[in-house]
Amino acid sequence: NPVRESLVTKFQLLLSCRSGKLTPTQVAKNIIAMLEDCDKSTPPLRAIVQWDQEQIMLMAEASTTRYRNKCTLSCLDGIPVCLKEEFKVVPYHHRVGTVYLGTQPETEDATVARKLREAGAIIIGVSNMHELGTGTTGCNPNRYHKIPRNPYNPNHFTGGSSSGSAAAVAAGLCPVAIGTDGGGSVRIPASFCGVVGLKGTFGRISGHGSLPLSYSTVSVGPICTSVADAAIVYSILAEPDLLYPYGLKQPKATLSDMCAPDLKGLKLGVDWTFFKACDAEILSACEKAVKHLQSLGASVVEVSLPEMEEARVAHVICILSEMRDFLQPDFNKHFHEMNLETRASLALACQFTALDYIKANRQRTRSMRFLQEIFSTVNCILTPGVPCTAPRIYESDLLTGSSDMTCTVRCMRFMQLGNFTGIPGLVVPIGYSTAGLPISLQVMAKWWDEAVLLRIGLRLEQFRDQTKKPSIYYDILA
């Protein structure tokens, strides 16, 4: 199965072959040809918005030499990756989805970009994103970005805000992409594009060198072709960073019991009232996936997630207030250069008061205490990934953008708890709608326990009886 298997491992095997038929240099040449094709296709994929042939080839040739000399740097050596434009990546423009930021090429890497370079990965460019991370569709009509297309159906959105990251992985341009997640921004596009998305515990992976849009809700995480690939990337990126204080006191990241043959002894928490707040065909697929996990020895325990509406509103107050605070100079100086949706979101944020923010953070404390109690009785919480499949793109969206608050709120329904309280979450594709669009299940665990997510995720991948090839797909190993 092309999506379930670890593409990183497949790359390693092929690149290590003594025949030397496939080298990082050849893969890089394939990718460059495909990036050119993406730009010329109708409609353009718009997954990778900045790339440089010379940079790609330099990294690839260095990796090819290491393979030849049998001195590779890590299991990511020679692996193509991309990073969301929210991260600083030399020598690209740090635009963060805007037309006014990043006027000069970047001269310093974000921590995650530096670590990927040190691991020998080939950075193929920076990926498209929703302007300033302010939406869940990925719709960004400005001149530098345009609308990224869902590889499963180019007439549908990718999801956002890590839109290009998910599209690039789903379309086969790279097996690994890095995104940020303040309100589902890794997990929503991963769900809509039928790939794996991991939001680490708040502070687990360094956010240094990304634009600090919301300092209390945003986590960093990989978007990958498989759970195994997500685990490999997580194991390399997850550690304290002296430049990023939020994760300094974290426990050591492990992958303990990840490859256990079954799920015996694990208790899966489900709040069925909350779980069922989704489209009928998504509910049907997710319920069957839960039964699959039970068949592997896990037990399902009914739990109650209290005050979810209060937590939802409080999360919106926190993330928008923090973004508005950070972006106040931009809102004043670059208002007319922003997309209409961004202006509306930041204008809405003006209405929140200091009292609202204080009350929202009191709610955060309450919600975290509720979760501490719940995680004393279960190992994880299961929900659908997103309550609906990827929304359709309309002609007007290409010109003026899309602003549908009902859709935004709906897409974030199962995401906000993880961002609000800082717990980790993993989405894994489990099937397709009758229209052929991907459906995912989400697993959330207690703080710092990404290992149990990856263990369950590996078994969840076995549930899919088939993996449909996207209508836009590039085979970079050909």
Side-chain angles (χ1 to χ4, degrees):
N1 187 315
V3 174
R4 275 187 218 148
E5 72 177 338
S6 165
L7 270 185
V8 168
T9 304
K10 185 177 179 181
F11 264 92
Q12 287 291 315
L13 287 170
L14 287 169
L15 295 173
S16 299
C17 282
R18 288 180 184 172
S19 65
K21 283 182 181 176
L22 187 75
T23 64
T25 301
Q26 183 55 54
V27 173
K29 287 177 181 175
N30 292 349
I31 291 169
I32 289 164
M34 289 160 185
L35 288 171
E36 289 172 345
D37 184 73
C38 285
D39 287 342
K40 294 171 187 170
S41 63
T42 306
L45 180 63
R46 298 306 294 163
I48 307 296
V49 289
Q50 296 183 62
W51 57 277
D52 183 284
Q53 179 172 334
E54 186 180 348
Q55 289 290 320
I56 296 170
M57 290 307 298
L58 279 172
M59 286 181 274
E61 285 161 4
S63 180
T64 297
T65 300
R66 290 192 294 270
Y67 271 96
R68 192 179 297 127
N69 296 333
K70 295 182 173 56
C71 59
T72 51
L73 297 171
S74 80
C75 55
L76 285 184
D77 206 323
I79 306 300
V81 304
C82 70
L83 292 95
K84 185 178 184 178
E85 200 181 59
E86 195 167 328
F87 293 99
K88 294 180 179 179
V89 182
V90 179
Y92 302 109
H93 295 264
H94 188 215
R95 292 189 176 119
V96 200
T98 72
V99 295
Y100 65 85
L101 288 173
T103 54
Q104 298 298 318
E106 199 50 54
T107 56
E108 184 181 341
D109 277 331
T111 295
V112 287
R114 175 180 56 78
K115 288 177 76 68
L116 288 168
R117 281 192 211 276
E118 290 171 352
I122 300 170
I123 298 173
I124 67 168
V126 293
S127 47
N128 206 343
M129 64 176 287
H130 207 106
E131 186 179 61
L132 295 168
T134 55
T136 60
T137 59
C139 183
N140 188 351
N142 73 44
R143 67 180 181 273
Y144 287 139
H145 298 89
K146 303 301 179 187
I147 315 297
R149 302 295 177 139
N150 191 317
Y152 275 91
N153 186 327
N155 295 318
H156 287 252
F157 285 118
T158 56
S161 62
S162 306
S163 49
S165 297
V169 172
L173 292 171
C174 53
V176 173
I178 307 299
T180 59
D181 190 317
S185 286
V186 159
R187 293 162 293 155
I188 292 170
S191 296
F192 282 164
C193 293
V195 289
V196 172
L198 172 65
K199 181 197 90 73
T201 303
F202 177 75
R204 175 63 103 178
I205 299 174
S206 174
H208 174 72
S210 65
L211 202 70
L213 294 164
S214 168
Y215 55 84
S216 77
T217 69
V218 176
S219 295
V220 177
I223 295 174
C224 300
T225 46
S226 71
V227 174
D229 289 343
I232 289 167
V233 179
Y234 166 76
S235 68
I236 286 173
L237 297 182
E239 65 177 3
D241 174 13
L242 291 174
L243 299 171
Y244 190 69
Y246 301 121
L248 286 178
K249 300 287 179 88
Q250 64 177 276
K252 186 171 177 57
T254 70
L255 299 176
S256 58
D257 297 327
M258 179 180 158
C259 295
D262 54 44
L263 299 177
K264 285 176 183 170
L266 290 185
K267 294 179 179 177
L268 317 177
V270 180
D271 180 330
W272 285 110
T273 303
F274 187 56
F275 190 101
K276 291 178 179 179
C278 59
D279 290 350
E281 59 183 342
I282 288 175
L283 177 60
S284 175
C286 289
E287 284 178 329
K288 289 173 186 171
V290 173
K291 286 178 182 173
H292 165 74
L293 296 177
Q294 282 181 286
S295 74
L296 294 171
S299 58
V300 172
V301 179
E302 282 203 49
V303 296
S304 173
L305 295 172
E307 301 180 7
M308 287 304 291
E309 180 60 18
E310 289 85 348
R312 182 187 72 78
V313 174
H315 167 262
V316 170
I317 291 169
C318 285
I319 190 169
L320 282 181
S321 296
E322 289 168 10
M323 290 177 84
R324 179 57 203 256
D325 171 52
F326 180 73
L327 294 169
Q328 181 68 31
D330 299 49
F331 191 67
N332 291 338
K333 189 176 178 182
H334 299 285
F335 179 84
H336 293 290
E337 295 170 272
M338 290 177 170
N339 290 337
L340 295 173
E341 183 189 13
T342 307
R343 296 184 213 173
S345 297
L346 294 176
L348 171 65
C350 292
Q351 306 306 308
F352 299 134
T353 65
L355 187 59
D356 292 329
Y357 187 72
I358 290 166
K359 285 183 176 179
N361 277 288
R362 285 178 179 157
Q363 179 62 47
R364 196 197 305 257
T365 304
R366 287 177 63 85
S367 295
M368 291 174 79
R369 283 181 182 158
F370 292 143
L371 285 178
Q372 281 178 320
E373 291 174 18
I374 289 168
F375 286 126
S376 69
T377 60
V378 298
N379 299 95
C380 69
I381 296 168
L382 302 179
T383 72
V386 186
C388 55
T389 53
R392 186 171 181 80
I393 297 171
Y394 293 98
E395 282 297 314
S396 61
D397 300 334
L398 306 178
L399 300 172
T400 57
S402 171
S403 185
D404 184 340
M405 197 55 70
T406 304
C407 176
T408 300
V409 169
R410 194 158 190 243
C411 287
M412 292 168 64
R413 175 176 291 141
F414 300 121
M415 301 287 145
Q416 292 172 279
L417 184 64
N419 296 112
F420 189 47
T421 62
I423 59 173
L426 176 77
V427 292
V428 179
I430 57 166
Y432 307 89
S433 69
T434 51
L437 292 167
I439 296 171
S440 289
L441 188 79
Q442 177 176 228
V443 193
M444 294 181 284
K446 68 179 182 292
W447 300 268
W448 316 114
D449 197 7
E450 288 87 351
V452 78
L453 298 184
L454 295 163
R455 177 183 172 186
I456 294 166
L458 270 183
R459 299 293 157 250
L460 195 54
E461 281 182 313
Q462 298 170 347
F463 170 70
R464 267 181 303 165
D465 57 356
Q466 62 169 324
T467 299
K468 293 180 181 175
K469 203 172 188 178
S471 60
I472 301 173
Y473 188 78
Y474 295 95
D475 184 358
I476 58 175
L477 296 178

mmCIF file of all heavy atoms in Angstrom, residues 19 35 86 157 186 219 233 358 363 370 373 406 421 441 448:
data_model
loop_
_atom_site.group_PDB
_atom_site.id
_atom_site.type_symbol
_atom_site.label_atom_id
_atom_site.label_comp_id
_atom_site.label_asym_id
_atom_site.label_seq_id
_atom_site.Cartn_x
_atom_site.Cartn_y
_atom_site.Cartn_z
ATOM 1 N N SER A 19 23.418 -0.764 -6.287
ATOM 2 C CA SER A 19 23.335 -0.511 -7.725
ATOM 3 C C SER A 19 23.488 0.974 -8.040
ATOM 4 O O SER A 19 23.904 1.345 -9.137
ATOM 5 C CB SER A 19 21.996 -1.006 -8.269
ATOM 6 O OG SER A 19 20.936 -0.249 -7.698
ATOM 7 N N LEU A 35 8.004 20.229 -9.795
ATOM 8 C CA LEU A 35 7.643 21.563 -9.303
ATOM 9 C C LEU A 35 7.350 22.496 -10.478
ATOM 10 O O LEU A 35 6.421 23.318 -10.418
ATOM 11 C CB LEU A 35 8.765 22.140 -8.438
ATOM 12 C CG LEU A 35 8.942 21.499 -7.049
ATOM 13 C CD1 LEU A 35 10.215 22.002 -6.387
ATOM 14 C CD2 LEU A 35 7.734 21.780 -6.164
ATOM 15 N N GLU A 86 5.496 29.901 7.383
ATOM 16 C CA GLU A 86 5.520 30.538 8.705
ATOM 17 C C GLU A 86 6.910 30.446 9.344
ATOM 18 O O GLU A 86 7.220 31.178 10.275
ATOM 19 C CB GLU A 86 4.475 29.874 9.609
ATOM 20 C CG GLU A 86 4.154 30.653 10.858
ATOM 21 C CD GLU A 86 2.913 30.127 11.560
ATOM 22 O OE1 GLU A 86 1.991 29.623 10.882
ATOM 23 O OE2 GLU A 86 2.853 30.229 12.793
ATOM 24 N N PHE A 157 -10.898 22.701 -1.327
ATOM 25 C CA PHE A 157 -9.818 23.287 -0.530
ATOM 26 C C PHE A 157 -8.946 22.196 0.096
ATOM 27 O O PHE A 157 -9.376 21.054 0.278
ATOM 28 C CB PHE A 157 -10.377 24.178 0.576
ATOM 29 C CG PHE A 157 -10.888 25.509 0.103
ATOM 30 C CD1 PHE A 157 -12.224 25.869 0.262
ATOM 31 C CD2 PHE A 157 -10.034 26.422 -0.501
ATOM 32 C CE1 PHE A 157 -12.694 27.102 -0.166
ATOM 33 C CE2 PHE A 157 -10.490 27.661 -0.936
ATOM 34 C CZ PHE A 157 -11.824 27.996 -0.768
ATOM 35 N N VAL A 186 -2.426 22.004 11.486
ATOM 36 C CA VAL A 186 -1.768 20.809 10.934
ATOM 37 C C VAL A 186 -2.814 19.737 10.658
ATOM 38 O O VAL A 186 -2.852 19.119 9.599
ATOM 39 C CB VAL A 186 -0.695 20.264 11.914
ATOM 40 C CG1 VAL A 186 -0.371 18.798 11.629
ATOM 41 C CG2 VAL A 186 0.575 21.097 11.820
ATOM 42 N N SER A 219 1.305 24.836 18.383
ATOM 43 C CA SER A 219 2.297 23.766 18.459
ATOM 44 C C SER A 219 2.832 23.495 17.055
ATOM 45 O O SER A 219 2.173 23.810 16.061
ATOM 46 C CB SER A 219 1.684 22.484 19.024
ATOM 47 O OG SER A 219 1.273 22.653 20.368
ATOM 48 N N VAL A 233 10.172 11.643 12.097
ATOM 49 C CA VAL A 233 10.396 13.094 12.129
ATOM 50 C C VAL A 233 10.269 13.617 13.559
ATOM 51 O O VAL A 233 11.090 14.423 14.025
ATOM 52 C CB VAL A 233 9.406 13.821 11.190
ATOM 53 C CG1 VAL A 233 9.627 15.327 11.243
ATOM 54 C CG2 VAL A 233 9.569 13.319 9.758
ATOM 55 N N ILE A 358 -8.872 37.281 30.406
ATOM 56 C CA ILE A 358 -8.632 36.723 31.749
ATOM 57 C C ILE A 358 -9.605 35.568 32.010
ATOM 58 O O ILE A 358 -9.207 34.490 32.487
ATOM 59 C CB ILE A 358 -8.777 37.822 32.822
ATOM 60 C CG1 ILE A 358 -7.611 38.809 32.718
ATOM 61 C CG2 ILE A 358 -8.837 37.211 34.229
ATOM 62 C CD1 ILE A 358 -7.819 40.101 33.485
ATOM 63 N N GLN A 363 -10.877 29.595 32.184
ATOM 64 C CA GLN A 363 -11.505 28.419 31.586
ATOM 65 C C GLN A 363 -10.448 27.401 31.163
ATOM 66 O O GLN A 363 -10.642 26.192 31.292
ATOM 67 C CB GLN A 363 -12.358 28.820 30.378
ATOM 68 C CG GLN A 363 -13.039 27.647 29.676
ATOM 69 C CD GLN A 363 -14.019 26.919 30.564
ATOM 70 O OE1 GLN A 363 -14.835 27.551 31.238
ATOM 71 N NE2 GLN A 363 -13.936 25.590 30.594
ATOM 72 N N PHE A 370 -9.995 19.166 34.091
ATOM 73 C CA PHE A 370 -10.928 18.121 33.647
ATOM 74 C C PHE A 370 -10.154 17.023 32.904
ATOM 75 O O PHE A 370 -10.395 15.830 33.105
ATOM 76 C CB PHE A 370 -11.997 18.701 32.714
ATOM 77 C CG PHE A 370 -12.971 19.646 33.372
ATOM 78 C CD1 PHE A 370 -13.436 20.767 32.690
ATOM 79 C CD2 PHE A 370 -13.428 19.418 34.656
ATOM 80 C CE1 PHE A 370 -14.322 21.641 33.276
ATOM 81 C CE2 PHE A 370 -14.322 20.294 35.258
ATOM 82 C CZ PHE A 370 -14.778 21.409 34.562
ATOM 83 N N GLU A 373 -8.157 14.639 35.073
ATOM 84 C CA GLU A 373 -9.019 13.599 35.660
ATOM 85 C C GLU A 373 -9.338 12.528 34.629
ATOM 86 O O GLU A 373 -9.275 11.324 34.921
ATOM 87 C CB GLU A 373 -10.315 14.233 36.189
ATOM 88 C CG GLU A 373 -10.114 15.122 37.402
ATOM 89 C CD GLU A 373 -11.398 15.845 37.803
ATOM 90 O OE1 GLU A 373 -12.483 15.411 37.376
ATOM 91 O OE2 GLU A 373 -11.291 16.848 38.527
ATOM 92 N N THR A 406 -19.271 29.970 9.709
ATOM 93 C CA THR A 406 -19.909 28.705 10.086
ATOM 94 C C THR A 406 -18.998 27.535 9.739
ATOM 95 O O THR A 406 -18.810 26.604 10.533
ATOM 96 C CB THR A 406 -21.261 28.546 9.359
ATOM 97 O OG1 THR A 406 -22.079 29.676 9.661
ATOM 98 C CG2 THR A 406 -21.968 27.281 9.805
ATOM 99 N N THR A 421 -5.609 23.426 25.521
ATOM 100 C CA THR A 421 -5.016 22.830 26.726
ATOM 101 C C THR A 421 -3.583 22.351 26.495
ATOM 102 O O THR A 421 -2.897 21.988 27.453
ATOM 103 C CB THR A 421 -5.847 21.621 27.192
ATOM 104 O OG1 THR A 421 -5.831 20.618 26.159
ATOM 105 C CG2 THR A 421 -7.281 22.032 27.489
ATOM 106 N N LEU A 441 -9.652 9.965 11.494
ATOM 107 C CA LEU A 441 -9.965 9.850 12.917
ATOM 108 C C LEU A 441 -8.854 10.552 13.690
ATOM 109 O O LEU A 441 -7.685 10.509 13.283
ATOM 110 C CB LEU A 441 -10.046 8.382 13.340
ATOM 111 C CG LEU A 441 -10.550 8.138 14.774
ATOM 112 C CD1 LEU A 441 -12.079 8.258 14.819
ATOM 113 C CD2 LEU A 441 -10.140 6.755 15.284
ATOM 114 N N TRP A 448 2.732 15.279 26.663
ATOM 115 C CA TRP A 448 4.018 14.606 26.456
ATOM 116 C C TRP A 448 3.893 13.116 26.094
ATOM 117 O O TRP A 448 4.906 12.441 25.982
ATOM 118 C CB TRP A 448 4.954 14.755 27.681
ATOM 119 C CG TRP A 448 4.990 16.126 28.253
ATOM 120 C CD1 TRP A 448 4.547 16.510 29.487
ATOM 121 C CD2 TRP A 448 5.486 17.327 27.630
ATOM 122 N NE1 TRP A 448 4.738 17.861 29.675
ATOM 123 C CE2 TRP A 448 5.305 18.393 28.547
ATOM 124 C CE3 TRP A 448 6.064 17.590 26.383
ATOM 125 C CZ2 TRP A 448 5.685 19.691 28.264
ATOM 126 C CZ3 TRP A 448 6.436 18.907 26.100
ATOM 127 C CH2 TRP A 448 6.249 19.926 27.041
#
